[in-house]
């Protein structure tokens, strides 16, 4: 016999006026064949606040209204549930505790086949507890002395397998080809063939060489993703040895990892945020968590740049309309923090960049791994082609138009075509 999911009409407050300054409002898309929308929404509010699968004798009546989630709106398959601010614990608990309420057990309730957290709206008092990016769009532009153009970067490829010297040689070539950003790939850490400390030193030297030989500024994000008890120490060590940026995988390491790297006074570097594993939660449109929620939380926690997708042009699953929502979440004044740089990455190559910029705008970091190192002229040629493509996009020209006078871009188009 299965245990029925209990819900109570007491959690339904449809049409009632609630104080939005004292609640966290969650927007859920729900699919249930066993329950009505009212029942399913009430079941979520029950499970995520004061209830459980059966009536209990320990919930005091006087606490019920103060602590319970309230279903405040249902429209079609969308329900809004407001959780009292008092239910949250930011000093100890933080984003992990927030997620355990707004995105917790509810995903596994047997009687609800699908539920997707589309958005979370925090009251101002809670937003004030977060600091947001230290650098963000403006800070990165200032470091790179690049006030208007989109940033243009690469992910060192192959993902793993290069030595520190080979990695640094790649970065040097990329910098000489005009790229502003380099980064470790998400699977590169401290493997024996490429120890983190040696890599940091070699890359810092390469970037210094680029600057002294060409005057061009490039930064490179070192992947410091690791266990919670080590992350600060690893980031501090990377900084000490000359890292110009650090990278963290937000979903494998947790939002607390982003926050500590952004807020700890010892770290003075911008934080590039990768989202490896996100698609396990964001890809299914009927179940999981929207990237919008992850973007909002990352910005609250102080990420300076975040991968948000390639607006339907790259290799990763995505659609322009959705990615525009995530981009807006990085940049919009909806939350009281500096704008965070949206990063487009995944299967990009120069022939896609002007179209990408046309869709996504100029506050964007365009990034290509294979689209740089797969160029017929090698990394420098690929970096030049990417830089030319960004210039074309910035000027409002197509890749073909700009390629007429730019050999590297032309060669990229011959190899990969354009969109
Ligand atoms: C891109 C990339 C990035 C993905 C992540 C990769 O390499 O380094 O991790 O872009 O996707 O490993 O695939 P390529 P997202 O340029 O060679 O494809 O940004 O969507 O999280
Ligand atoms: Mg990668």
């Amino acid at each position: 016999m299965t245990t029925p999911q209990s819900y109570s009409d007491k959690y339904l407050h449809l049409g009632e006026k609630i104080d939005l300054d004292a609640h966290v409002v969650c927007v859920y898309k729900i699919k249930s064949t066993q329950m009505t929308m009212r029942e399913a929404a009430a079941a979520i509010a029950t499970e995520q606040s004061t209830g459980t699968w059966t009536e209990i004798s320990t919930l005091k009546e006087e606490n019920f209204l103060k602590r319970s989630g309230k279903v405040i709106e249902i429209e079609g398959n969308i329900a809004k549930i407001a959780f009292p601010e008092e239910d949250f614990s930011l000093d100890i608990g933080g984003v992990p505790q927030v997620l355990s309420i707004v995105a917790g057990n509810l995903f596994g309730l047997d009687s609800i086949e699908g539920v997707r957290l589309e958005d979370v709206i925090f009251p101002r008092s809670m937003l004030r507890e977060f600091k947001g990016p230290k650098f963000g769009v403006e800070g990165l532009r200032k470091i790179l002395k690049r006030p208007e153009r989109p940033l243009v970067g690469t992910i060192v490829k192959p993902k793993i397998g290069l030595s520190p010297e080979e990695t640094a040689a790649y970065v040097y070539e990329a910098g000489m080809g005009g790229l502003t950003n380099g980064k470790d790939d998400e699977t590169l850490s401290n493997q024996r063939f490429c120890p983190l400390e040696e890599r940091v030193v070699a890359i810092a030297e390469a970037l210094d060489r680029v600057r002294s030989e060409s005057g061009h500024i490039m930064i490179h994000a070192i992947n410091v993703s690791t266990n919670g008890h080590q992350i600060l120490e690893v980031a501090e060590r990377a900084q000490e040895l000359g890292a110009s940026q650090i990278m963290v995988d937000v979903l494998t390491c947790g939002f607390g990892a982003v926050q500590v790297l952004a807020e700890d006074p010892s770290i003075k570097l911008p934080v590039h945020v990768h989202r490896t594993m996100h698609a396990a939660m964001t890809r299914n449109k009927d179940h999981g968590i929207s990237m919008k929620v992850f973007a909002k939380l990352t910005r609250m926690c102080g990420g300076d740049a975040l991968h948000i997708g390639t607006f339907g042009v790259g290799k990763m699953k995505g659609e322009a309309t959705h990615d525009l929502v995530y981009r807006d979440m990085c940049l919009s004044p909806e939350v009281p923090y500096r704008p965070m740089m949206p990063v487009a990455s995944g299967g990009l190559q120069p022939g896609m960049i002007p179209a990408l910029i046309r869709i996504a705008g100029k506050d964007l970091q365009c990034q290509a791994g294979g689209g740089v190192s797969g160029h017929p002229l090698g990394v420098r040629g690929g970096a030049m082609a990417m830089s030319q493509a960004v210039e074309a996009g910035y000027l409002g020209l197509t890749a073909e138009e700009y390629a007429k006078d730019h050999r590297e871009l032309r060669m990229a188009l011959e190899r990969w075509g354009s969109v």
Side-chain angles (χ1 to χ4, degrees):
M1 191 186 118
T2 52
T3 305
Q5 175 57 42
S6 154
Y7 63 91
S8 160
D9 281 352
K10 288 198 292 189
Y11 291 84
L12 290 170
H13 295 257
L14 295 166
E16 287 176 27
K17 208 168 155 44
I18 78 140
D19 178 5
L20 293 181
D21 278 335
H23 287 83
V24 173
V25 177
C26 296
V27 181
Y28 297 104
K29 184 166 144 191
I30 296 174
K31 189 176 161 192
S32 174
T33 51
Q34 301 168 47
M35 286 179 147
T36 64
M37 271 298 285
R38 287 162 70 99
E39 290 167 344
I44 292 172
T46 306
E47 174 63 31
Q48 297 306 137
S49 60
T50 52
T52 181
W53 61 273
T54 183
E55 286 292 323
I56 48 177
S57 60
T58 42
L59 176 61
K60 295 201 184 93
E61 199 52 43
E62 67 266 28
N63 281 338
F64 180 78
L65 264 187
K66 276 195 282 184
R67 310 276 145 76
S68 294
K70 301 168 184 62
V71 180
I72 57 171
E73 200 181 299
I74 293 177
E75 244 190 84
N77 59 354
I78 302 287
K80 286 189 184 166
I81 300 180
F83 294 101
E85 188 186 354
E86 266 197 55
D87 291 3
F88 297 87
S89 168
L90 293 183
D91 56 352
I92 293 180
V95 173
Q97 191 266 347
V98 171
L99 286 172
S100 75
I101 294 180
V102 305
N105 290 354
L106 62 99
F107 294 115
L109 295 175
D110 192 28
S111 44
I112 303 175
E113 287 96 332
V115 51
R116 190 166 196 264
L117 177 60
E118 297 286 355
D119 199 2
V120 184
I121 299 119
F122 293 98
R124 272 168 295 191
S125 54
M126 279 178 78
L127 291 174
R128 274 198 293 271
E129 298 295 315
F130 294 83
K131 297 187 169 64
K134 267 206 302 268
F135 296 88
V137 173
E138 283 316 304
L140 287 167
R141 289 191 173 290
K142 210 164 150 199
I143 291 172
L144 295 165
K145 297 201 194 325
R146 193 171 168 98
E148 284 180 8
R149 288 169 167 74
L151 307 188
V152 52
T154 189
I155 312 102
V156 175
K157 297 282 169 177
K159 263 187 208 295
I160 50 162
L162 300 185
S163 67
E165 294 69 33
E166 288 165 334
T167 308
Y170 184 121
V171 172
Y172 171 76
E173 290 295 306
M176 293 306 283
L179 299 191
T180 58
N181 293 76
K183 63 176 276 297
D184 287 352
D185 222 325
E186 69 283 349
T187 57
L188 187 64
S189 176
N190 189 36
Q191 287 95 329
R192 270 199 293 279
F193 54 79
C194 196
L196 187 138
E197 295 196 1
E198 285 174 39
R199 183 166 81 248
V200 172
V201 172
I203 291 173
E205 279 171 4
L207 293 175
D208 285 349
R209 228 154 30 94
V210 169
R211 193 161 185 177
S212 63
E213 288 171 22
S214 69
H216 178 67
I217 305 171
M218 179 182 180
I219 58 176
H220 180 96
I222 296 291
N223 184 18
V224 299
S225 302
T226 184
N227 297 314
H229 69 284
Q230 292 172 307
I231 198 158
L232 207 48
E233 191 189 321
V234 174
E236 277 174 18
R237 188 73 185 127
Q239 176 175 263
E240 211 171 273
L241 293 173
S244 43
Q245 188 173 20
I246 48 180
M247 169 177 132
V248 61
D249 284 313
V250 59
L251 295 167
T252 54
C253 296
F255 288 88
V258 176
Q259 199 170 355
V260 75
L261 293 172
E263 291 186 7
D264 192 275
S266 68
I267 306 294
K268 299 182 168 44
L269 300 176
V271 182
H272 180 104
V273 183
H274 195 280
R275 57 175 187 167
T276 196
M277 200 171 81
H278 79 93
M281 287 169 276
T282 60
R283 187 169 176 153
N284 183 337
K285 297 294 171 247
D286 291 327
H287 190 78
I289 301 175
S290 166
M291 187 61 206
K292 181 178 182 188
V293 174
F294 291 142
K296 189 179 285 187
L297 291 170
T298 302
R299 190 165 162 203
M300 288 164 70
C301 289
D304 293 296
L306 171 70
H307 289 231
I308 54 148
T310 54
F311 300 82
V313 305
K315 74 179 180 187
M316 311 298 279
K317 180 89 185 143
E319 287 166 39
T321 44
H322 295 134
D323 294 355
L324 281 169
V325 172
Y326 316 146
R327 180 213 54 187
D328 289 348
M329 197 55 254
C330 294
L331 301 175
S332 89
E334 181 186 328
V335 287
Y337 315 113
R338 292 188 179 95
M340 171 171 73
M341 181 65 82
V343 179
S345 182
L348 291 182
Q349 48 90 355
M352 297 168 173
I353 302 300
L356 177 72
I357 293 172
R358 221 170 19 250
I359 302 168
K362 292 170 187 167
D363 278 332
L364 183 73
Q365 178 168 327
C366 315
Q367 224 169 240
V372 165
S373 48
H375 191 279
L377 297 176
V379 173
R380 191 181 301 209
M384 288 170 75
M386 273 295 281
S387 305
Q388 292 160 4
V390 165
E391 194 60 22
Y394 174 71
L395 297 172
L397 301 172
T398 64
E400 280 77 12
E401 283 166 337
Y402 204 72
K404 284 186 195 131
D405 304 321
H406 295 88
R407 175 172 165 255
E408 292 77 16
L409 181 55
R410 201 162 55 243
M411 290 176 79
L413 296 185
E414 278 159 17
R415 169 135 206 216
W416 294 307
S418 65
V419 297

